[in-house]
Amino acid sequence: ALAGGLALLPIDVVRAETVALLVPATAEIVFEGYIDVDHVEPDPPSGEHTGYMIVGAEVFAFHITCITHRRNPIWHDFISQMPPSESSCIRAVGVEGTMLSFLRKDCGIPQVKAVAQHDMGGAWRIMAIQFQDVGGVRTHNAIVWQALYASLSKSPDWPKIVIAVDEDIDPHDADSLNWALAFRFQPHRDLRVVQGRSAILDQSAMPHSLETSYTAHYPTSNTGPQGASAMLIDATRKWPYTPVSLPKREYMERARAIWEELDLPPLRPRTPWYGYNLGVWPAEFEELAALGEQGRFAEVAQRLISRARPVPRGEA
């Protein structure tokens, strides 16, 4: 039913050979069997989304009773290893959509514009939330923190680090996030640590155990030295800023047009890619900038010189 819904058409099915289930009629390979829930077996070492090998795990074995397949079937494996790999890239699509819907609809926070899960966190541990102004009203700081705390309620394991950013920050771009962290965030004021979290497969929470036990990969204490925690960061602007120090949009767009006319390699602009006003830009500076755009630099210099003032003794 799910596959048919995604494909927008019915999926042809046939009855399996040894189990009472319907399977896709055009499946490449069908494994039939059962899972014995009364016994566990050692799981061989394997790569994980954390970028480390997992050893000492146990699993419920799948006992195969029949295998059917097409002629010359295609076998597509699923790779989970050092990110970015298939597990983290595919997971990001689902997790981002789920979290965005949760924050906007279930939590009633329409100011949330986008959610980004970062590959190097396995598309689980490092998350950014982008906020937008609604109805021309600046998003209140209390709403930012509502969303940050709410993001932890989806799972005890993830996210581990959550960063809130403004609409002019690309939540998927690590450089853009670092810019926000460097100049829109103060640790003593804008950071919260939440203890009591879980951290399955995260070896920073505890030494990795070689015990063959499913619970061996959980912290022995969620609040002690071997416990796990989450970090919430508000990297949004708290007040008006001076303009972004890049040429105006019209100049950057003209430069891009010239670039394309010269048939140079395609450009991939990264946020921010042009300058814009963030609230602190007196009319006098706008006038001086306009004179500079017209090449009237002598007038700019004269206006600045006319505002010279003597330096009081001891101030220099």
Side-chain angles (χ1 to χ4, degrees):
L2 177 59
L6 293 173
L8 299 179
L9 54 83
I11 301 298
D12 292 331
V13 295
V14 295
R15 190 166 299 279
E17 299 290 333
T18 61
V19 295
L21 293 174
L22 297 174
V23 298
T26 58
E28 297 289 334
I29 304 175
V30 175
F31 295 94
E32 302 178 18
Y34 65 94
I35 298 175
D36 180 2
V37 297
D38 295 322
H39 300 86
V40 291
E41 299 178 5
D43 188 22
S46 62
E48 258 297 347
H49 69 280
T50 59
Y52 302 98
M53 299 295 292
I54 296 301
V55 297
E58 292 181 324
V59 294
F60 294 103
F62 179 66
H63 298 267
I64 293 178
T65 58
C66 180
I67 300 177
T68 57
H69 58 81
R70 303 178 67 174
R71 293 186 180 91
N72 300 316
I74 298 173
W75 172 260
H76 179 249
D77 209 345
F78 185 91
I79 305 299
S80 184
Q81 58 185 14
M82 180 70 190
S85 63
E86 285 183 315
S87 64
S88 58
C89 292
I90 294 174
R91 180 185 300 112
V93 176
V95 173
E96 288 175 353
T98 300
M99 182 63 77
L100 179 63
S101 176
F102 172 71
L103 293 175
R104 297 194 68 176
K105 297 179 180 179
D106 298 340
C107 298
I109 311 176
Q111 291 86 352
V112 173
K113 181 177 182 179
V115 172
Q117 292 284 353
H118 284 256
D119 287 332
M120 298 313 294
W124 259 343
R125 266 54 178 205
I126 303 175
M127 186 177 83
I129 303 175
Q130 183 189 47
F131 288 84
Q132 62 186 349
D133 296 342
V134 175
V137 178
R138 175 72 178 167
T139 300
H140 196 280
N141 186 247
I143 294 176
V144 173
W145 282 107
Q146 178 193 2
L148 285 170
Y149 279 110
S151 69
L152 300 182
S153 63
K154 287 290 289 182
S155 168
D157 274 325
W158 61 270
K160 179 180 182 180
I161 301 172
V162 193
I163 307 170
V165 296
D166 294 300
E167 191 170 7
D168 66 335
I169 299 295
D170 183 351
H172 291 91
D173 186 339
D175 285 344
S176 191
L177 286 178
N178 285 334
W179 183 50
L181 288 172
F183 302 110
R184 302 185 183 188
F185 159 74
Q186 286 294 328
H188 75 284
R189 181 194 64 208
D190 303 321
L191 183 148
R192 305 285 188 277
V193 174
V194 179
Q195 290 185 273
R197 303 285 287 170
S198 181
I200 186 171
L201 301 182
D202 184 350
Q203 297 181 61
S204 68
M206 61 174 182
H208 191 83
S209 174
L210 295 180
E211 298 176 16
T212 54
S213 169
Y214 180 72
T215 59
H217 301 293
Y218 284 94
T220 55
S221 168
N222 283 348
T223 56
Q226 292 183 326
S229 56
M231 181 167 61
L232 307 178
I233 296 174
D234 177 3
T236 63
R237 288 178 284 107
K238 313 305 183 297
W239 37 73
Y241 274 37
T242 56
V244 173
S245 54
L246 286 170
K248 290 181 178 179
R249 182 166 187 164
E250 54 263 35
Y251 293 114
M252 298 297 271
E253 289 180 339
R254 176 57 183 151
R256 180 166 59 181
I258 295 172
W259 183 279
E260 293 172 350
E261 288 172 4
L262 296 174
D263 199 26
L264 294 172
L267 292 174
R268 295 181 179 179
R270 301 170 65 183
T271 303
W273 59 276
Y274 61 88
Y276 46 90
N277 191 345
L278 290 174
V280 181
W281 192 236
E284 179 186 6
F285 294 162
E286 186 69 34
E287 295 172 4
L288 293 176
L291 291 174
E293 291 172 345
Q294 299 168 26
R296 298 160 63 181
F297 301 111
E299 295 180 46
V300 173
Q302 187 59 44
R303 289 182 59 171
L304 294 175
I305 292 172
S306 67
R307 296 188 57 184
R309 66 178 182 84
V311 178
R313 182 173 297 178
E315 183 178 312

